[in-house]
Amino acid sequence: MPDFETIEQQVEVGGHQFTLTTLADNQQFHDPNGVFEAAGVAPAMWSLFGILWESGLLLAEAMVTEPLADRTILETGCGLGLASMVIAHRGGTVIASDLHPLAGEFLSINVRHNHLQPIPFETLDWHHEYATLDKFDMIIGSDLLYERGQPELLANFVDHHSKAKSTMILTDPGRKQVGAYTRLMEANGFTSSIETHDTVRLIRYERST
């Protein structure tokens, strides 16, 4: 890829080897015309989508055993799309999404690396409601909550695009915004449970009606 450096990584998830093109490090940056900043990607956040973080790996591992039959799934903030690729590898129905303009390109490259069928990709901004976007049985995401206003944005987005009976799975390395997010999700009818995996938490939100 031009203007920034990438590498290939081999990652084992659920006994299957995945090949990923990632950014070489989190110091990469290229936005000469301000396109990414105009899309809502701050310079300090530019590279984060293109690194495989521990939270992203835990989310992908969770998808190895998650029931997929007859469920429609949306990954928000997909970054490299590893969790979506695990779902696709298992035959599940998934749409990947991210705000970063390069995420869809990296997803396409990684899908081809791993000989998977194309995974639909949407550029989604939590500030907006999308009338043409379905309601999903499950929404998943890893390390999504950095800033003060994000819990409300994400909780509203998940509420609007989840079915009455639905699941949301969030993996998180201990961001302080998660407490506020959990309270908002509970106000929207979700119950929550937490599993701790080393330094990363897996938080499951369930709504039954």
Side-chain angles (χ1 to χ4, degrees), residues 75-139:
E75 183 178 9
T76 186
C78 71
L80 297 166
L82 180 59
S84 288
M85 289 193 292
V86 171
I87 293 167
H89 175 71
R90 293 184 57 207
T93 301
V94 63
I95 294 174
S97 68
D98 204 292
L99 180 65
H100 200 293
L102 279 177
E105 185 175 346
F106 271 68
L107 176 68
S108 294
I109 291 168
N110 288 323
V111 164
R112 291 196 298 271
H113 278 327
N114 294 282
H115 310 291
L116 297 168
Q117 292 297 312
I119 295 174
F121 177 84
E122 297 279 354
T123 301
L124 298 180
D125 183 339
W126 302 335
H127 288 85
H128 305 300
E129 293 181 358
Y130 296 88
T132 58
L133 186 67
D134 288 339
K135 292 184 182 291
F136 295 87
D137 298 294
M138 183 163 66
I139 295 177

Side-chain angles (χ1 to χ4, degrees), residues 7-209:
I7 58 173
E8 284 192 8
Q9 292 182 246
Q10 299 295 317
V11 182
E12 185 174 318
V13 182
H16 182 78
Q17 200 80 9
F18 289 88
T19 301
L20 293 180
T21 291
T22 74
L23 293 178
D25 55 62
N26 62 6
Q27 302 303 308
Q28 303 289 315
F29 178 76
H30 182 74
D31 192 14
N33 300 314
V35 172
F36 296 89
E37 193 162 9
V41 181
M45 311 283 281
W46 189 93
S47 66
L48 300 186
F49 86 98
I51 304 292
L52 180 61
W53 302 98
E54 191 175 355
S55 294
L57 183 56
L58 177 59
L59 183 65
E61 290 170 345
M63 293 304 103
V64 173
T65 55
E66 188 69 25
L68 301 180
D70 301 320
R71 298 174 87 184
T72 56
I73 302 165
L74 174 71
E75 183 178 9
T76 186
C78 71
L80 297 166
L82 180 59
S84 288
M85 289 193 292
V86 171
I87 293 167
H89 175 71
R90 293 184 57 207
T93 301
V94 63
I95 294 174
S97 68
D98 204 292
L99 180 65
H100 200 293
L102 279 177
E105 185 175 346
F106 271 68
L107 176 68
S108 294
I109 291 168
N110 288 323
V111 164
R112 291 196 298 271
H113 278 327
N114 294 282
H115 310 291
L116 297 168
Q117 292 297 312
I119 295 174
F121 177 84
E122 297 279 354
T123 301
L124 298 180
D125 183 339
W126 302 335
H127 288 85
H128 305 300
E129 293 181 358
Y130 296 88
T132 58
L133 186 67
D134 288 339
K135 292 184 182 291
F136 295 87
D137 298 294
M138 183 163 66
I139 295 177
I140 63 173
S142 63
D143 200 1
L144 299 176
L145 300 170
Y146 295 88
E147 299 173 359
R148 182 175 296 176
Q150 289 178 325
E152 184 174 3
L153 289 172
L154 180 58
N156 289 341
F157 178 87
V158 170
D159 184 47
H160 187 76
H161 292 292
S162 294
K163 294 180 180 178
K165 181 178 181 181
S166 56
T167 301
M168 196 271 174
I169 295 177
L170 172 68
T171 56
D172 179 82
R175 306 277 180 198
K176 64 181 181 180
Q177 308 295 346
V178 171
Y181 178 70
T182 296
R183 289 190 292 274
L184 290 164
M185 289 289 282
E186 289 174 348
N188 288 338
F190 289 84
T191 59
S192 64
S193 60
I194 300 176
E195 301 172 11
T196 301
H197 301 256
D198 297 325
T199 61
V200 182
R201 301 173 294 180
L202 187 150
I203 309 155
R204 178 183 290 270
Y205 302 92
E206 300 275 4
R207 183 166 64 186
S208 58
T209 57

